[in-house]
Amino acid sequence: MITSVFSKSKPINFIIVAVYVSLLFVITTYTLLFSDLNAAFSTLFKWVMTLFLIFLLDFVVAKNNLSQRNSYAIMTFGLLLGIFPEAMTHLDLLISNLFVFFALRRLISLHTKLNIKKKLFDAAFWITIASFFFFWSILFFALVIVALIYYSQNDFKNIIIPFIGVITAVMLLLIYNVVMYDEYFRTTDFQRFASLDYTAYNSKKSILKLTVLFASFVWTLIYYFKNIPDKNKKLKPSYFIIAWASIIAVLVAIIAPIKNGSEYLFLFAPFSIIMANYIEVISERWFKEVFVALLIITPIIGLML
């Protein structure tokens, strides 16, 4: 039933996901919405950012033919937010994730072989900007290296371009600091807090959510890699970039200083694309429904624990 609704790419599917996420957002941030005016505006901005991420995911998947004509990617993204609603409450993570996704979008589109230098510059630039809001997102710069391996092995100019993008972003940070604070670097720039303390996960609710997340991720990722050889030769590098993005996102979550579920936000977009590719190749309809239903009932069971 659920998968049949999202089996086609229709505007109504985006509306369904947007309404679901909006209701989820109101429930999660109810107290902030009706507190002081500044908190309300900040909360509404987070809501807009979340919906924009969903729209951008839908656009990138359709534009680059990363799945068949369906809405499984945005469906999965919405369901993941249902499991980890905390991801919608951290503005710095939302902004950083948005910039990382801008970079991922540029790297994925390299398969067109158009404006390669500009896309490499943009990707490095956006990832560096993302690191200003959440430092460990700088790890996604590895995706630029992966893209260079696939697309620019013998072009020295293309190897230099991403580093120019990094320098440009840092120069903009210096200019901003000088204009606003009359200093080049501030103590808050590039804060490198990390944590390997996982005691926050020591609850039945957290264990359930993480078990479902990683079991689903590992299962679908195996099938994703298995099916890449059958994909369009031109798009294969894009599929590998998405896979690497998901693995880096897990690494970011492992070392993130905050351990409340929001740290997995970077995983949502690449995992949603991987999940969409998996669901569309499952022949047994009942298994599709069970798989999706698992993502739906997880937060419900979590509330009961």
Side-chain angles (χ1 to χ4, degrees), residues 91-111:
L91 185 58
D92 54 345
L93 287 178
L94 284 169
I95 295 175
S96 181
N97 183 62
L98 177 63
F99 288 141
V100 168
F101 198 64
F102 281 162
L104 183 60
R105 170 180 173 267
R106 299 299 276 170
L107 294 175
I108 289 172
S109 65
L110 283 171
H111 68 82

Side-chain angles (χ1 to χ4, degrees), residues 83-86 197-215 258-264 298-299 301-305:
I83 297 176
F84 298 101
E86 300 85 1
D197 181 9
Y198 305 108
T199 54
Y201 296 154
N202 191 22
S203 67
K204 293 180 180 179
K205 181 178 179 180
S206 295
I207 292 172
L208 171 66
K209 290 182 177 182
L210 293 175
T211 299
V212 171
L213 175 67
F214 282 107
I258 301 174
K259 297 289 192 296
N260 63 358
S262 62
E263 66 273 21
Y264 293 100
T298 297
I301 297 175
L303 291 174
M304 300 177 181
L305 297 177

Side-chain angles (χ1 to χ4, degrees), residues 9-302:
S9 181
K10 302 176 182 177
I12 187 64
N13 292 338
F14 176 82
I15 295 174
I16 292 172
V17 175
V19 170
Y20 168 74
V21 171
S22 298
L23 291 174
L24 186 67
F25 188 86
V26 171
I27 295 172
T28 305
T29 62
Y30 180 82
T31 56
L32 294 175
L33 282 172
F34 299 97
S35 56
D36 63 277
L37 191 60
N38 289 333
F41 275 119
S42 176
T43 304
L44 287 174
F45 183 67
K46 294 174 187 176
W47 171 69
V48 172
M49 287 279 292
T50 303
L51 293 185
F52 182 68
L53 281 170
I54 298 171
F55 169 79
L56 188 61
L57 173 63
D58 193 39
F59 172 79
V60 171
V61 170
K63 184 76 173 178
N64 296 279
N65 299 313
L66 297 177
S67 72
Q68 297 172 10
R69 291 185 172 275
N70 56 61
S71 299
Y72 292 143
I74 60 172
M75 176 197 71
T76 302
F77 195 97
L79 294 177
L80 289 173
L81 286 174
I83 297 176
F84 298 101
E86 300 85 1
M88 298 183 288
T89 62
H90 292 268
L91 185 58
D92 54 345
L93 287 178
L94 284 169
I95 295 175
S96 181
N97 183 62
L98 177 63
F99 288 141
V100 168
F101 198 64
F102 281 162
L104 183 60
R105 170 180 173 267
R106 299 299 276 170
L107 294 175
I108 289 172
S109 65
L110 283 171
H111 68 82
T112 63
K113 301 295 180 67
L114 299 174
N115 303 316
I116 289 181
K117 291 180 175 60
K118 185 176 186 300
K119 291 175 180 178
L120 290 172
F121 175 90
D122 289 349
F125 176 82
W126 287 126
I127 290 172
T128 307
I129 294 294
S131 70
F132 298 160
F133 294 90
F134 181 70
F135 176 77
W136 294 113
S137 58
I138 196 66
L139 295 178
F140 285 97
F141 190 81
L143 294 179
V144 180
I145 307 301
V146 172
L148 285 171
I149 293 173
Y150 282 120
Y151 294 105
S152 305
Q153 294 177 340
N154 301 317
D155 193 331
F156 182 74
K157 291 182 180 179
N158 286 347
I159 297 175
I160 298 298
I161 289 296
F163 296 99
I164 297 176
V166 172
I167 294 171
T168 303
V170 173
M171 290 297 293
L172 289 178
L173 175 64
L174 294 179
I175 294 171
Y176 174 80
N177 283 342
V178 169
V179 172
M180 299 299 295
Y181 306 105
D182 195 28
E183 56 182 333
Y184 288 108
F185 286 105
R186 303 172 63 215
T187 56
T188 55
D189 294 335
F190 302 105
Q191 290 182 327
R192 298 178 294 277
F193 300 120
S195 173
L196 296 177
D197 181 9
Y198 305 108
T199 54
Y201 296 154
N202 191 22
S203 67
K204 293 180 180 179
K205 181 178 179 180
S206 295
I207 292 172
L208 171 66
K209 290 182 177 182
L210 293 175
T211 299
V212 171
L213 175 67
F214 282 107
S216 302
F217 174 63
V218 172
W219 180 269
T220 55
L221 188 63
I222 291 172
Y223 275 80
Y224 184 78
F225 275 117
K226 181 181 177 181
N227 290 322
I228 286 180
D230 299 328
K231 300 293 183 181
N232 186 308
K233 184 178 180 181
K234 184 179 178 181
L235 290 174
K236 284 181 183 179
S238 297
Y239 284 100
F240 277 112
I241 288 172
I242 292 167
W244 280 112
S246 68
I247 294 171
I248 294 172
V250 173
L251 178 60
V252 169
I254 289 173
I255 62 177
I258 301 174
K259 297 289 192 296
N260 63 358
S262 62
E263 66 273 21
Y264 293 100
L265 177 61
F266 294 95
L267 177 62
F268 289 2
F271 179 33
S272 295
I273 297 173
I274 292 171
M275 177 69 84
N277 278 264
Y278 175 69
I279 294 177
E280 65 189 19
V281 299
I282 299 177
S283 57
E284 298 85 355
R285 183 174 177 180
W286 67 269
F287 192 70
K288 290 183 181 182
E289 299 293 342
V290 170
F291 212 85
V292 174
L294 181 64
L295 298 180
I296 295 175
I297 65 174
T298 297
I300 297 174
I301 297 175

